[in-house]
């Protein structure tokens, strides 16, 4: 039965080529929006995942903190579970680093007779501890340690990163859900039209003794092929965009070369299309009655 | 209700209404296996409805019907295709698929049954040969005359060798000679043991045949006699 169902599906795809082509392009457009969303979400996620490794807290010390006090502060910090490393930065090292960073703007340091920077301790946290809440808690605890004047941990920056991440995820999920529903609707409408156009034929099949599976299978296959073709068209479009457009633009805009291509996700686009197509077709056929 | 194994069709006070209009009322008759039976009556007498009840396109509102041992009243929806595979139907409106050639139209009856392509090829050509249309296998229905289309429908109805063949006005649109040819085909099929039930208003078809004739009028069975 299955080979014949494939034959019927292919015959219908060819016979109704324009409506099917239109559906494939519509699905491809929808999947393209999903792909762009996934591409953006994937890259934002990847970028923000790398940030915790670079994240550090700076604990500014009171002036003239004695060596034994400094040792005890550092020991206390090392004992904290979330802390991965602790490094003392003397005020001289700090100004040296600053001068290195601002070597093109040396005028900033003109007229400075003495080093205004305080001694500090750089605390790096374990990757899993870099969340806005955890960092805030550690900062508050650090501020209670005697000898620490101020804690700087880029509070707003950290909160912004987390809100960007969760925002992108939420928008991505909503967008993907809406567009997936749209794609299912396109497949539903297409198969429904094809079903109506062939209603006489289906009625004859029923009268000749065709089972529901015999009648349904070609439509499910057709819906699946339409969905999968849409997915394939999107995959080709996305690959061309990434490997040709982004690759060429990277020469002019180096930042683009850091973008990541979630190959596995994109390779599954035809499968996603197949699933959405079959779902739409199944809803369109509905319950057959004899 | 037990059914005699020699009985192909059994109607017992079966009735059918459409929108409070009686189509058939208290119909009772039996058809034995291998019989050739005519149902006759004027237009609107209920001939087509009676055939539809047999192949379960309609269900009786009351009474009881059994066909080839199947209890039509209690037939599950999923079993209807299996019943229909035992019945070949020559529809009044032919129901040929316009976008498929004659071979595919006839083959459909076998494809639905899941037959292998090799078997389909042999049986379809045999069937088309039996109705004298082997040479038209690549043609499309629109290129065939009414009589030829009628014969294609007979080929489709018989290709799967059903136990029962139903024909609804099979000669309705045919001239006398072509109608005679169609009847000859039916007689040949019946001679091989297939039970045949023909609904017709054409008295010439059953006159002097000696076959059972069921007469309907306004949904009532008025007489069961011999032609």
């Amino acid at each position: 039965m299955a080979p014949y169902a494939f034959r019927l599906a292919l015959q219908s795809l060819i016979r109704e080529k324009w409506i099917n082509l239109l559906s494939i392009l519509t699905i491809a457009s929808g999947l393209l929006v999903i792909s762009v969303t996934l591409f953006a979400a994937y890259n934002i996620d990847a970028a923000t995942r790398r940030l915790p490794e670079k994240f550090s807290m700076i604990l500014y010390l009171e002036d003239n903190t004695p060596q034994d006090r400094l040792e005890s502060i550092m020991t206390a910090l090392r004992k904290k579970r979330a802390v991965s490393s602790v490094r003392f930065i003397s005020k001289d090292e700090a100004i040296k680093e600053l001068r290195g960073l601002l070597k093109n703007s040396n005028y900033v340091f003109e007229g400075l007779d003495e080093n205004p920077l305080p001694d500090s301790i750089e605390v790096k946290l374990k990757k899993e501890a870099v969340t806005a809440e955890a960092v805030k808690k550690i900062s508050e605890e650090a501020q209670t340690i005697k000898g620490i004047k101020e804690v700087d941990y880029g509070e707003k920056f950290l909160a912004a990163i987390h809100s960007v991440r969760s925002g992108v995820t939420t928008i991505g999920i909503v967008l993907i859900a809406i567009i997936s529903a749209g794609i299912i609707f396109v497949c539903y409408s297409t198969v429904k039209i094809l079903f109506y156009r062939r209603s006489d034929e289906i009625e004859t099949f029923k009268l000749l003794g065709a089972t529901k599976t015999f009648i349904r299978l070609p439509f499910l296959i057709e819906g699946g092929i339409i969905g999968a073709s849409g997915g394939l068209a999107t995959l080709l479009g996305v690959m061309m965009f990434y490997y040709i457009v982004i690759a060429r633009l990277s020469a002019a805009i180096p930042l683009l070369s850091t973008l990541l291509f979630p190959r596995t996700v994109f390779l599954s686009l035809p499968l996603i299309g197949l699933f959405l197509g079959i779902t739409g077709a199944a809803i369109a056929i509905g319950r057959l009655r004899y | 209700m037990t059914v005699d194994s020699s009985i192909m069709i059994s109607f017992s006070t079966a009735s059918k209404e459409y929108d409070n209009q009686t189509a058939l009322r208290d119909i009772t008759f039996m058809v034995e296996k291998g019989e050739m039976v005519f149902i006759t009556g004027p237009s609107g007498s209920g001939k087509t409805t009676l055939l539809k009840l047999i192949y379960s396109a309609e269900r009786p509102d009351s009474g009881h019907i059994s066909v080839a041992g199947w209890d039509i009243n209690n037939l599950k929806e999923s079993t209807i295709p299996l019943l229909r595979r035992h019945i070949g139907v020559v529809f009044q409106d032919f129901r040929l698929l316009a976008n498929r050639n004659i071979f595919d139209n006839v083959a459909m009856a076998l494809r639905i049954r899941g037959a292998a392509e090799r078997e389909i090829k042999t049986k379809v050509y045999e069937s088309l040969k039996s109705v004298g249309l082997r040479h038209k296998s690549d043609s499309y229905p629109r290129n065939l005359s009414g009589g030829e289309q009628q014969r294609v429908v007979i080929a489709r109805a018989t290709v799967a060798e059903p136990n029962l063949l139903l024909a609804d006005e099979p000669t309705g649109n045919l001239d006398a000679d072509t109608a005679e040819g169609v009847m000859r085909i039916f007689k040949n099929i019946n001679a091989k043991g297939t039970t045949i039930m023909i609904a017709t208003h054409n008295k010439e078809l059953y006159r002097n045949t000696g076959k059972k004739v069921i007469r309907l009028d306004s949904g009532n069975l008025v007489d069961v006699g011999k032609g």
Side-chain angles (χ1 to χ4, degrees):
Chain A
M1 191 195 288
Y4 188 65
F6 264 102
R7 225 168 93 186
L8 283 180
L10 290 177
Q11 281 172 357
S12 174
L13 280 165
I14 295 164
R15 203 178 301 136
E16 308 281 358
K17 52 186 172 292
W18 296 116
I19 184 172
N20 287 322
L21 189 67
L22 191 67
S23 302
I24 289 169
L25 291 176
T26 313
I27 291 164
S29 315
L31 284 174
L32 193 68
V33 177
I34 289 183
S35 304
V36 170
T37 311
L38 279 173
F39 186 67
Y42 185 81
N43 277 285
I44 288 171
D45 190 61
T48 53
R49 261 179 215 287
R50 286 197 301 266
L51 283 172
E53 292 162 16
K54 294 175 182 167
F55 179 83
S56 61
M57 293 171 80
I58 303 292
L59 277 53
Y60 296 107
L61 300 170
E62 283 168 359
D63 290 338
N64 305 318
T65 305
Q67 188 62 28
D68 57 337
R69 180 95 282 267
L70 177 67
E71 292 294 333
S72 72
I73 291 171
M74 289 183 65
T75 310
L77 288 169
R78 280 194 188 102
K79 278 182 184 164
K80 289 192 182 293
R81 243 190 318 174
V83 173
S84 76
S85 70
V86 175
R87 181 171 75 103
F88 173 72
I89 303 166
S90 68
K91 58 197 292 180
D92 295 336
E93 267 180 84
I95 194 86
K96 207 170 143 193
E97 276 184 26
L98 192 63
R99 280 185 194 278
L101 282 171
L102 301 174
K103 60 185 172 198
N104 296 328
S105 316
N106 254 336
Y107 59 88
V108 174
F109 301 100
E110 281 171 18
L112 275 180
D113 297 331
E114 63 179 83
N115 184 355
L117 300 177
D119 287 336
S120 61
I121 297 171
E122 185 193 47
V123 177
K124 288 215 174 209
L125 298 178
K126 285 176 185 159
K127 209 172 155 185
E128 60 274 14
V130 187
T131 64
E133 300 79 31
V135 172
K136 194 178 174 193
K137 195 172 163 230
I138 296 164
S139 151
E140 281 166 2
E141 282 171 8
Q143 263 170 337
T144 61
I145 300 172
K146 199 180 164 198
I148 292 176
K149 193 164 73 180
E150 198 184 331
V151 178
D152 181 10
Y153 65 92
E155 182 177 24
K156 284 182 183 163
F157 176 67
L158 203 60
I161 286 171
H162 281 278
S163 58
V164 164
R165 253 173 93 168
S166 61
V168 166
T169 309
T170 311
I171 292 169
I173 289 170
V174 171
L175 207 61
I176 287 169
I178 291 171
I179 293 169
S180 298
I183 291 171
I184 290 175
F185 183 73
V186 170
C187 289
Y188 163 88
S189 312
T190 310
V191 172
K192 198 83 181 168
I193 292 168
L194 299 176
F195 198 75
Y196 277 128
R197 280 204 192 185
R198 283 165 58 189
S199 55
D200 275 352
E201 186 176 310
I202 290 162
E203 201 50 43
T204 304
F205 285 176
K206 284 187 199 169
L207 292 170
L208 293 177
T211 57
K212 289 180 183 181
T213 310
F214 183 92
I215 295 168
R216 276 201 181 111
L217 204 53
F219 289 101
L220 294 178
I221 292 170
E222 201 168 345
I225 291 176
I226 291 170
S229 305
L232 202 64
T234 314
L235 177 64
L236 291 175
V238 167
M239 284 178 79
M240 276 167 63
F241 177 73
Y242 184 78
Y243 288 111
I244 298 173
V245 180
I246 298 237
R248 284 192 184 171
L249 283 177
S250 294
I253 311 164
L255 183 69
L256 291 178
S257 63
T258 60
L259 290 175
L260 299 169
F261 186 72
R263 200 170 280 117
T264 325
V265 178
F266 287 153
L267 284 176
S268 61
L269 276 170
L271 282 178
I272 296 169
L274 179 78
F275 170 75
L276 296 175
I278 291 175
T279 307
I283 300 169
I285 302 166
R287 192 165 179 270
L288 289 176
R289 297 203 74 94
Y290 280 90
Chain B
M1 183 180 171
T2 55
V3 180
D4 186 335
S5 63
S6 67
I7 301 299
M8 178 58 78
I9 302 168
S10 162
F11 272 57
S12 175
T13 61
S15 297
K16 179 72 189 170
E17 281 187 1
Y18 293 112
D19 302 324
N20 295 327
Q21 295 267 339
T22 302
L24 288 172
R25 185 186 296 123
D26 294 335
I27 304 295
T28 300
F29 69 89
M30 280 191 189
V31 174
E32 284 183 30
K33 284 181 180 167
E35 258 192 296
M36 186 171 189
V37 179
F38 291 89
I39 307 164
T40 189
S43 297
S45 59
K47 301 187 293 291
T48 301
T49 304
L50 191 141
L51 294 184
K52 281 183 174 177
L53 286 169
I54 294 172
Y55 61 82
S56 205
E58 298 288 354
R59 299 279 182 134
D61 296 323
S62 61
H64 187 267
I65 300 171
S66 110
V67 176
W70 302 79
D71 180 353
I72 299 292
N73 295 59
N74 299 310
L75 207 59
K76 280 186 200 160
E77 211 181 44
S78 58
T79 322
I80 292 174
L82 304 179
L83 164 79
R84 290 180 182 166
R85 290 178 188 189
H86 286 272
I87 305 173
V89 185
V90 177
F91 300 100
Q92 191 171 10
D93 56 356
F94 299 162
R95 287 200 164 272
L96 288 171
L97 308 173
N99 53 16
R100 285 171 211 283
N101 65 21
I102 299 310
F103 180 94
D104 280 338
N105 264 282
V106 177
M108 194 56 75
L110 294 170
R111 288 192 169 123
I112 276 167
R113 288 161 171 84
E117 279 303 310
R118 185 180 291 182
E119 183 193 350
I120 289 171
K121 207 168 179 179
T122 313
K123 286 195 168 177
V124 170
Y125 284 134
E126 260 176 34
S127 194
L128 283 173
K129 195 177 163 194
S130 72
V131 295
L133 289 173
R134 168 71 178 80
H135 61 293
K136 296 277 187 178
S137 61
D138 292 330
S139 303
Y140 282 80
R142 63 179 173 276
N143 300 325
L144 266 55
S145 69
E148 286 172 327
Q149 289 188 31
Q150 187 68 273
R151 283 187 279 155
V152 173
V153 180
I154 294 170
R156 185 182 64 188
T158 55
V159 70
E161 297 165 10
N163 302 325
L164 172 63
L165 180 66
L166 305 176
D168 193 359
E169 298 287 2
T171 59
N173 304 311
L174 307 180
D175 59 64
D177 285 347
T178 316
E180 203 182 311
V182 166
M183 282 311 295
R184 240 191 333 267
I185 294 167
F186 283 138
K187 279 174 192 161
N188 289 339
I189 294 165
N190 180 235
K192 289 176 190 165
T194 306
T195 310
I196 300 185
M197 189 174 233
I198 301 170
T200 181
H201 61 266
N202 183 356
K203 290 175 184 165
E204 293 305 316
L205 291 190
Y206 54 83
R207 185 171 288 160
N208 299 323
T209 57
K211 305 289 184 190
K212 187 187 280 178
V213 179
I214 298 168
R215 288 188 178 81
L216 299 175
D217 193 7
S218 305
N220 296 302
L221 194 156
V222 291
D223 176 43
V224 178
K226 295 272 182 190

